[in-house]
Each structure stands twice: as C-alpha cells, then as structure tokens.
Amino acid sequence: MNLGYLLVNIKCLWSKDKNETINTYYRKRGIKIGCDTHIFSYLSVSEPYLIEIGNGVTISTDVKFITHDASIGVLLGRKEVSDIVGKIVIGNQTFIGSGSIIMYGVEIGNRCIVAAGSVVTKSIPDGEIWGGNPAKYISTTQEYIDKNRGLGLPLHGLNFEMRKRVIIKSNMKSR
C-alpha cells in the first residue's frame, strides 16, 4: 500500500462520501470509474489507464487487477518482446468477490458476479456468475436471484450495532 492511498483513507474519516473520495483518488491515477461504484481494495496497477469500471459496481476486498504479464520477456528475450498488455473492463452493476484476480484482456459484462477467490482469465458475458481458478461459468444472475430471494437483509449503510441487530433479529434463515 502506498502513502497516497493511506492518506486518502485518512481523508475518508472526514468525508461525507467515502466511496466518491476513493473513486476520485483512482480517477486521478487514470482509472475510468462510473458513478455509485464501491471499491474496497487497494488497486495497485502499472497501467491504470487500461482499467474501466462501470456504474454501480462493487469491488470487494483484496481484489487484484493484472494489466500486464512480463513472463513472455523471459521466454523470448526482453529485447524482442517484454510484455503482454491488455485492458480490463468491468460492466455496470457487477460484483467482484474478495480475493479475486482479474487478468489482462478480460471484459466482465453488466450484472455479473465473480465469486470470491476467482482467477478470471476469460471475458464474462452479461448476466452470468463465474467462479474458481480458473474461473468458469456457474449460473445466470437471474437464477441466483430466484434461488436466494427472501434470504437477503437490508444492511446497506447501517453501522455495526444496527447491522448486528438486524442480523440477529432475522434468525439467520437456513438455506
């Protein structure tokens, strides 16, 4: 983590809109970010101008974006070719789970979910859920919504104590 990111997190303590403060930090570094996007990871990338993140996206903790691969330079000799480089595009209303790695050249569509711990090496069409290493198709987001309808809780924006009350009151419905 670098000093600039640490300072922006300190600034967030007094900010009215923590998400926008963090998004502004990344935009100044060259990442294209839509509105109402929540980034909970430190995005350390060599080529921030190769990343585009849509509207209403959530990027969970410990997510990594890999915009280049220097291994080809070792194999072919750095004077001939040193890197493979590619954009990463995240569509609107998409969720990237904790610990995921998104590789160069990947486009993730709108309304997608990437499961926690996934390594995404291929582009994902709109409305799909992928997970694993390497990430593979799991289901559509509509199937996920239908399966889990009624299990979710309205926790957004609640402080720790309020969240705790809502969760305990819900009696944690079992699947």
Side-chain angles (χ1 to χ4, degrees), residues 9-45:
N9 275 279
I10 292 169
K11 183 178 179 182
C12 284
L13 297 173
W14 293 276
S15 174
K16 289 182 181 177
D17 188 344
K18 176 183 177 183
N19 295 315
E20 192 53 34
T21 301
I22 289 173
N23 291 349
T24 298
Y25 168 79
Y26 286 125
R27 285 182 189 118
K28 286 180 180 176
R29 274 143 195 79
I31 297 176
K32 293 179 184 166
I33 302 174
C35 55
D36 197 30
T37 287
H38 302 263
I39 300 174
F40 298 100
S41 291
Y42 170 55
L43 303 178
S44 172
V45 293

Side-chain angles (χ1 to χ4, degrees), residues 92-110:
N92 300 319
Q93 295 177 307
T94 289
F95 180 87
I96 309 296
S98 180
S100 294
I101 299 171
I102 313 299
M103 297 300 293
Y104 56 90
V106 165
E107 291 189 27
I108 299 173
N110 298 312

Side-chain angles (χ1 to χ4, degrees), residues 115-129:
S118 298
V119 178
V120 181
T121 60
K122 297 178 183 175
S123 293
I124 300 174
D126 290 349
E128 292 188 357
I129 299 173

